[in-house]
């Protein structure tokens, strides 16, 4: 990867760090959506990302759809998977303890991973970049146009979701469900529908992440767990439930990973995000941007 | 109830004592002894996990990491430093205890989802280290030549000897854990499961106890890992990854978290499922595991043992005391 001279190298690492960080941010946002509405952490979140990429490949290569349509179809399909997860799995376990809820979402993630392995095998797959034109040089740094797509789409998703939850009627109704489900029901909010919506939305965001990163990093059936874990790291670091916090924390994670790979050891790059996750959990579980009081109110 | 459990334990002991002989009767069963050795090794892990999850209510998705610390500790000390396997086992267990203390002290302040993710993250870190430290662990290609255990200067050879060693240890661990559960500590653990704050108010040293149980489960996992290393003599990182941590949880959940018998039954059952009955559809294994875990968690959350016990009790019209805690 590295450029010919030292000055360009760090910029190169920074660029790839920000790109992968944007993906972690999207995964983190997937956690946040469900958490904001139900206070559940969905351990299958990483699997949605994997499925987004692989369904994109399926619609593009196997069905021969145009790329834009393939990606959209993939996102919709995974959204439906999220819907099914809520309707047929989570809803049944509604009154279970936190421990069973964890086990239920882990079980679902294993099913998705196993299903993906049977459907696509163990090979990694690639989607073509979203726009034509190859790598170009900027300040001595090789820039993949797809990286710009990743950044742009992530920024749009974060902005749209923030607006949705802050301003829109539905968004506010969804937030009310997490705060106090019975009170929300009393004022006429269909809590069940909102929970259903949150799972679909979260799966959709995960699938977007998987589809946009697929041209750069490839996608295979067993990438979900690690992506999910790093995304959770970003969610915690940014303060669980905070969209802009997730974006910043995701990019911090991506950058530290990328610099570790560049300057220290590429083998340990995956451990960096996890060490950060553990330090965040151990020393600052409310995250960098969450308030301590708010964290104290939540059940985790 | 107590006497019934004692009878069950006696029956189990007799069955295990006769098992190698029973399996030896027919050629098609003779390798069951081998499968049962693995089941016994895993039982040592899952009994500890059952104490942690079922009784103290704390989830750990890192048991494969402690299993790995024991296995690689044994492997590295015996192969690179020519230690005695028993010494290596002991040092591995101490190392696991130290790591569990370091990780458990901050991690067990977390609850539910956060604790699960923290242990998950820790487990993956250990797996990465095993993969990366190629000079010590052989990395992804694994490393072999780990010597077998010796007893009184003689190498432990043959499945039957290993069977008795492993199951002897498993039964000891079972008895000891059962003893712990029926003591003051056991009652305190159940109190923690039900309501931490109330337990704290009653004077239960909640955080100390949680860390102690975590360390206990880690030491058991590490010892089991050492046995595994000396038995199979070859280690590769695949046996210590996240999926194995989930398998251990699955073994406990399938049998039933709230009973040590559950861990025993679930472990033997799933080891046979994995090693024996699923060989036909190798690629479906992961799907079956996921489906099983989902079905059990949704429909039989108390696990197979407690569920069957309930059916038997109802048939005998015995009134059961209400089981403690949710599931």
């Amino acid at each position: 990867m590295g450029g010919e001279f030292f000055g360009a190298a760090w910029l190169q690492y920074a660029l790839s760090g920000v790109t992968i960080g944007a993906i972690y941010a999207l995964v983190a946002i997937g956690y946040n959506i469900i958490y904001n509405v139900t206070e559940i952490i969905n351990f299958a979140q990483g699997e949605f990302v994997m499925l987004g990429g692989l369904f994109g490949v399926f619609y593009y290569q196997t069905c021969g759809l145009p790329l834009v349509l393939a990606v959209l179809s993939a996102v919709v399909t995974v959204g439906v998977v999220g819907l099914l997860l809520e309707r047929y799995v989570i809803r049944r376990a509604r009154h279970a303890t936190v421990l069973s809820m964890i086990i239920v979402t882990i079980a679902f993630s294993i099913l998705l991973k196993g299903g993906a392995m049977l459907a696509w095998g163990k090979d990694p797959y690639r989607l073509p970049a979203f726009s034509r034109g190859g790598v170009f040089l900027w300040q001595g740094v090789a820039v993949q146009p797809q990286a710009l797509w990743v950044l742009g789409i992530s920024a749009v998703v974060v902005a749209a979701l923030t607006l949705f939850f802050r301003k829109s009627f539905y968004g506010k109704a969804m937030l009310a469900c997490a705060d106090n489900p019975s009170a929300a029901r009393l004022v006429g909010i269909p809590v069940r529908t909102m929970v259903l919506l949150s799972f679909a939305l979260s799966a959709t965001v995960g699938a977007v992440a998987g589809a946009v990163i697929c041209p750069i990093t490839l996608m295979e059936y067993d990438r979900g767990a690690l992506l999910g874990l790093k995304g959770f790291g970003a969610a915690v670091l940014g303060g669980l439930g905070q969209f802009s916090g997730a974006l910043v924390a995701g990019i911090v994670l991506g950058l530290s990973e990328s610099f570790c790979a560049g300057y220290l050891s590429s083998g340990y790059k995956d451990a960096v995000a996890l060490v950060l996750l553990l330090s965040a959990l151990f020393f600052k579980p409310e995250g960098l941007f969450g308030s301590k009081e708010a964290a104290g109110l939540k059940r985790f | 109830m107590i006497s019934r459990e004692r009878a069950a334990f006696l029956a189990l002991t007799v069955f295990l004592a006769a098992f190698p002989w029973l399996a030896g009767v027919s050629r098609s069963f003779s390798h069951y002894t081998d499968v049962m050795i693995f089941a016994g090794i895993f039982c040592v892990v899952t009994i500890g996990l059952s104490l942690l999850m079922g009784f103290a209510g704390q989830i750990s998705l890192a048991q494969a990491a402690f299993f790995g610390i024991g296995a690689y500790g044994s492997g590295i000390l015996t192969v690179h430093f020519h230690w005695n396997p028993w010494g290596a086992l002991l040092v591995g267990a101490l190392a696991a205890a130290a790591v569990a203390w370091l990780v458990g002290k901050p991690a067990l302040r977390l609850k539910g989802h956060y604790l699960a993710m923290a242990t998950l993250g820790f487990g993956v870190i250990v797996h990465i280290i095993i993969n990366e430290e190629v000079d010590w662990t052989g990395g992804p290609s694994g490393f072999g030549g780990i010597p077998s255990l010796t007893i009184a200067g003689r190498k432990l050879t043959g499945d039957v000897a290993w069977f008795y060693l492993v199951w002897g240890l498993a039964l000891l661990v079972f008895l000891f854990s059962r003893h712990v559960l029926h003591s003051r500590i056991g009652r305190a653990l159940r109190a923690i499961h039900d309501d931490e704050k109330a337990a704290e108010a009653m004077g239960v040293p909640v955080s100390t106890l949680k860390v102690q149980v975590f360390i206990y489960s880690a030491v058991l996992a590490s010892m089991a890992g050492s046995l595994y290393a000396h038995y199979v003599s070859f280690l590769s990182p695949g046996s210590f990854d996240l999926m194995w941590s989930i398998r251990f949880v699955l073994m406990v959940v399938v049998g039933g978290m709230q009973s040590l018998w559950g861990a025993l039954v679930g472990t033997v059952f799933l080891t046979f499922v994995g090693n024996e009955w699923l060989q036909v559809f190798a690629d479906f294994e992961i799907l079956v595991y996921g489906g099983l875990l989902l079905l059990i968690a949704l429909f039989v959350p108390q696990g197979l043992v407690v569920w069957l016990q309930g059916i038997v009790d109802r048939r005998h019209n015995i009134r059961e005391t209400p089981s403690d805690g949710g599931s």
Side-chain angles (χ1 to χ4, degrees):
Chain A
M1 255 211 180
E4 273 77 7
F5 38 90
F6 184 75
W10 81 267
L11 207 58
Q12 187 80 63
Y13 298 140
L15 179 70
S16 61
V18 172
T19 311
I20 191 73
I23 295 302
Y24 298 157
L26 287 185
V27 184
I29 285 165
Y31 284 110
N32 286 342
I33 294 170
I34 293 180
Y35 179 79
N36 273 345
V37 180
T38 62
E39 300 198 336
I40 293 170
I41 300 293
N42 171 27
F43 280 75
Q45 193 63 39
E47 255 49 57
F48 291 150
V49 183
M50 174 273 291
L51 281 182
L54 288 182
F55 267 116
V57 172
F58 168 75
Y59 285 119
Y60 179 75
Q61 277 181 0
T62 317
C63 303
L65 293 181
L67 189 58
V68 180
L69 221 56
V71 168
L72 282 179
S73 314
V75 169
V76 171
T77 311
V78 179
V80 172
V81 174
L83 221 88
L84 294 176
L85 165 65
E86 200 286 327
R87 180 62 190 80
Y88 292 103
V89 180
I90 301 290
R91 199 171 287 183
R92 276 182 196 281
R94 198 104 193 107
H95 301 291
T97 57
V98 176
L99 194 60
S100 322
M101 201 54 108
I102 293 169
I103 291 168
V104 162
T105 53
I106 286 179
F108 193 76
S109 82
I110 297 176
L111 276 179
L112 292 183
K113 179 177 158 184
M117 188 182 79
L118 285 184
W120 283 280
K122 293 180 177 173
D123 301 324
Y125 291 88
R126 184 196 289 277
L127 272 178
F130 288 10
S131 54
R132 297 201 174 279
V135 177
F136 61 87
L137 277 177
W138 172 74
Q139 304 272 322
V141 174
V143 180
Q144 291 191 26
Q146 185 65 22
L148 303 179
W149 278 103
V150 171
L151 295 177
I153 289 176
S154 310
V156 170
V157 169
V158 173
L161 282 175
T162 310
L163 276 180
F164 174 73
F165 278 106
R166 288 233 181 105
K167 303 282 179 208
S168 84
F169 182 72
Y170 270 88
K172 285 182 196 163
M174 283 169 87
L175 288 184
C177 299
D179 228 27
N180 189 337
S182 17
R185 201 170 291 122
L186 277 179
V187 297
I189 297 171
V191 174
R192 277 192 169 183
T193 317
M194 294 300 153
V195 173
L196 193 67
L197 254 179
S198 74
F199 273 83
L201 193 60
S202 157
T204 309
V205 173
V208 169
V212 295
I213 199 69
C214 190
I216 299 181
T217 64
L218 309 182
M219 194 54 77
E220 63 214 82
Y221 82 102
D222 66 349
R223 287 278 298 282
L226 202 54
L227 273 168
L229 206 48
K230 290 177 184 173
F232 185 75
V236 172
L237 214 58
L240 208 54
Q242 308 257 335
F243 292 122
S244 44
L247 186 65
V248 176
I251 287 171
V252 168
L253 282 191
L255 281 176
S256 32
E257 192 178 304
S258 181
F259 283 123
C260 171
Y263 292 117
L264 297 171
S265 138
S266 65
Y268 277 108
K269 78 176 171 62
D270 287 335
V272 174
L274 302 180
V275 169
L276 281 175
L277 164 66
L278 288 188
S279 341
L281 283 174
F282 292 170
F283 304 113
K284 214 166 163 27
E286 72 275 11
L288 296 175
F289 308 101
S291 73
K292 212 160 196 163
E293 293 91 271
L297 287 174
K298 289 183 170 159
R299 312 182 286 261
F300 38 68
Chain B
M1 189 64 199
I2 297 291
S3 66
R4 200 153 55 130
E5 197 185 350
R6 191 163 288 170
F9 187 77
L10 213 68
L12 173 73
T13 316
V14 171
F15 170 73
L16 286 173
F19 189 88
W21 179 77
L22 285 173
V25 167
S26 157
R27 277 203 99 172
S28 50
F29 295 139
S30 56
H31 61 287
Y32 277 17
T33 310
D34 178 57
V35 180
M36 276 299 274
I37 293 171
F38 285 113
I41 291 174
F42 298 152
C43 272
V44 176
V45 182
T46 53
I47 289 171
L49 189 56
S50 165
L51 237 66
L52 182 69
M53 261 173 56
F55 292 91
Q58 312 296 315
I59 195 168
S60 163
L61 289 167
Q63 291 316 96
F66 293 117
F67 191 62
I69 289 175
Y72 277 95
S74 264
I76 290 168
L77 288 176
T78 51
V79 172
H80 294 296
F81 298 97
H82 311 292
W83 276 44
N84 179 299
W86 291 106
L89 181 142
L90 200 69
V91 170
L94 287 176
V99 174
W101 181 76
L102 270 177
V103 175
K105 217 156 159 55
L108 289 162
R109 281 196 311 228
L110 304 165
K111 292 192 188 66
H113 295 113
Y114 274 43
L115 177 63
M117 281 291 188
T119 52
L120 193 65
F122 163 70
V124 175
I125 291 175
V126 171
H127 187 241
I128 291 174
I129 294 175
I130 290 175
N131 260 309
E132 289 305 315
E133 293 302 316
V134 179
D135 292 346
W136 295 106
T137 65
S141 42
F143 89 119
I146 300 161
S148 186
L149 286 175
T150 48
I151 290 179
R154 287 179 49 197
K155 267 214 162 109
L156 202 62
T157 48
D159 277 0
V160 177
W162 268 98
F163 178 91
Y164 286 124
L165 174 82
V166 163
W167 276 100
L169 180 73
L171 290 184
L172 270 181
V173 167
F174 181 89
L175 280 181
F176 179 75
S177 304
R178 201 188 151 280
H179 192 73
V180 168
L181 285 177
H182 283 262
S183 71
R184 238 179 111 81
I185 298 174
R187 288 193 295 277
L189 286 180
R190 266 170 268 215
I192 293 174
H193 191 174
D194 287 347
D195 188 337
E196 271 185 31
K197 285 201 179 107
E200 188 94 64
M202 296 292 287
V204 174
V206 173
S207 39
T208 319
L209 215 52
K210 282 201 288 192
V211 175
Q212 282 170 352
V213 178
F214 190 64
I215 292 175
Y216 179 63
S217 79
V219 167
L220 288 184
S222 165
M223 279 170 27
S226 291
L227 286 182
Y228 176 86
H230 295 301
Y231 179 59
V232 300
S233 83
F234 179 85
L235 300 174
S236 75
S239 317
F240 310 96
D241 62 2
L242 167 62
M243 194 56 206
W244 266 104
S245 285
I246 293 176
R247 277 201 189 102
F248 288 138
V249 170
L250 179 61
M251 288 167 179
V252 175
V253 171
V254 164
M257 282 192 281
Q258 307 261 320
S259 129
L260 289 180
W261 287 94
L264 218 62
V265 171
T267 307
V268 173
F269 173 64
L270 279 178
T271 310
F272 270 89
V273 167
N275 281 30
E276 195 59 27
W277 302 322
L278 276 186
Q279 292 297 311
V280 202
F281 5 65
D283 277 354
F284 285 89
E285 186 192 342
I286 180 172
L287 267 188
V288 174
Y289 277 134
L292 209 59
L293 189 55
L294 193 60
L295 288 177
I296 297 274
L298 286 182
F299 300 109
V300 208
Q302 72 275 39
L304 293 179
V305 167
V306 179
W307 181 60
L308 289 173
Q309 213 174 31
I311 291 177
V312 172
D313 285 350
R314 236 169 289 143
R315 191 158 287 173
H316 287 277
N317 231 352
I318 295 168
R319 286 194 50 193
E320 226 187 328
T321 46
S323 67
D324 37 354
S327 54

